[in-house]
Amino acid sequence: MCSLRALSAAAGGVPAAAGLKKSGPISVSVPAQVQNCAVPDFRKAAVALRVWIERGGGGGGRGARSSSAVHATLQSRGTDEEKIEEEKEEERSRSRFNWTTNWYPVIPVADFDKAVPYPFHILGRKVVIWCDKEGQFHCLLDACPHRLAPLSEGRVDEAGCIQCSYHGWSFRGDGSCAKIPQAKPEGAQARACEQTRAQAVALPLLVKQGILFIWPDESSPELARRTPPPTASCVEGEGWCAVETFRDMCYGFDTGMENLVDPAHIPVAHHMVNGGVLGKRSQATALDLEVKAEGPLGFSAEMKKAVGPPSIHTFDAPSRFTYEYELRNIKGARAATTTYCTPTQPGRCRIIVVNARNFMIGLSSGPAWWQIFPRWLDHQLMLNLLDGDASLLHEQERTLVEKSGNQPEAWAKAYFMPTTADRYVGAFRNWLIRHAGKGIGWAPGVDLNLPPLLEKKEDIMNRYSSHTQMCKVCSAALEKFKLARKLLFLVGLAALGVAAVLADPSSRIKAVIFAAISGAIGWWLGGWIQMFYYKGYNHARIP
Ligand code: FES
Ligand SMILES: [Fe+2]
């Protein structure tokens, strides 16, 4: 809280003609950007304050009661301020964030199954991605121009086109129609493929650092070509290794991104996951976070530490947040975690994590012969982490909508964030309101309502639907586990059969023991198989 007089004094004093002395101190809640604004004179401070008031700053209570009085005082300041305000608004609209002209990560290419078309949602629109025989990726809106059947239910044909499974029309990567099986070979029907209405809508795609990125605006392929994707930190550094994974989450983009930029939750929400690699709840402590710069394209920030250099954090709008840090216990050890949140559908998002490090690189999956650590295990370890807060966020999102009356700018009234540990969350929410149109730029016609609340943890943390079935590596590992278990049970049964016909008692006992061991290993593999479907995480049961 501060008074308008105090604010104006801080801004260089109030001219007598302003008449503010008469109005007396007016008590309002002043936002950080106004408190901290480096304004050389009162006029700019007043404009900044008015912008904030007009945006609904201060909300209810005392600030709201005072705002009309403040507004009335400011109105008398004449047209100069209005002009400044108009210029500011023009500048704001010029620098406003555009949701569609950005690259969004979809999936690590190593996990993409090139044998089948891949359905995906981006900003609420359904698309299909496939890989042709030359290894080129293509993307079309997932609706066949013929009668709108989903192309993702089709197949990649012999020419590398995607073929609709309804009537067999085929489409090239640029959306042009390659074949209509029902068209007569001559006359008007033979030329039907060339008609504009036979064309599917193509979206730009690219692969960078082994990750497939999508550009959800079909009208700006040139801009897409000129725009670099948001790559991950340190991945290409000498002596570094990196592992990527992905998962579809049962919460929306803003909830997911807010979570990714929040270092304070990590030791608590991910308590003792994977042996406590991210900490335990007893390690939750005060965090000295400071946002150094912010604007339409995100913010950069740092977390001060008692010892050593600060950790550097960057939010690159709309989807990337990067942590870079040094490890205290290993000399020279550095790590960078790049997290992405891709807005797929309302109430859903895809999280992609790229972990890079310059130590223990032998313990990572990769192309080198010595990198024997299985990629599927890396994925499962990351899914363990993502289980930790999945239920919390699924429900938190709905409560925020309810408490804020579905008004995105009311987040600050719904949340109570008294510590510096929540600074990044505030910075992200402010970015969303000030620069990104107060919410996600969903495609027209998308149903903005959240999907129904999921009551069962098995649904919220379902690994099969959120990862395994879309991950070539985990699907293959799952099939191998299943096969191994079947073989072990068959071997066990065969050993029992042999035991039944053996005359020698000691041989018979050996056969029975062999059968029991086979059965036990098969049963043990069942636990690994289950991991690909559901594992779960119950905070109350983990000491
Ligand atoms: S709907 Fe696709 S070919 Fe008919
Ligand atoms: Fe996987």
Side-chain angles (χ1 to χ4, degrees), residues 143-151 164-171 181-182:
C144 176
H146 178 216
R147 275 162 51 195
L148 308 178
L151 292 169
C164 179
S165 288
Y166 201 2
H167 308 94
W169 292 29
S170 289
F171 302 90
Q182 295 81 11

Side-chain angles (χ1 to χ4, degrees), residues 38-51:
V39 281
D41 58 31
F42 168 76
R43 183 168 289 178
K44 284 190 180 172
V47 169
L49 181 61
R50 193 171 74 181
V51 170

Side-chain angles (χ1 to χ4, degrees), residues 111 245-246 376 379-380 467 471 473-474:
D111 304 325
T245 192
F246 71 96
W376 60 262
H379 283 191
Q380 296 302 319
H467 177 83
C471 175
V473 174
C474 287

Side-chain angles (χ1 to χ4, degrees), residues 9-25:
V14 184
L20 274 172
K21 268 186 182 170
K22 286 181 193 164
S23 65

Side-chain angles (χ1 to χ4, degrees), residues 65 80 91 128 158 163 183 193 236 255 281 288 291 319 332 395 417 461 463 477 480 493 526 543:
R65 282 197 302 277
D80 276 3
E91 193 185 315
V128 57
E158 295 65 29
Q163 184 178 36
C193 262
E236 286 152 317
T255 306
R281 55 177 82 98
D288 194 1
V291 175
S319 60
E395 205 160 328
M417 305 196 303
M461 296 183 225
R463 291 190 180 191
K480 281 183 189 149
L493 278 176

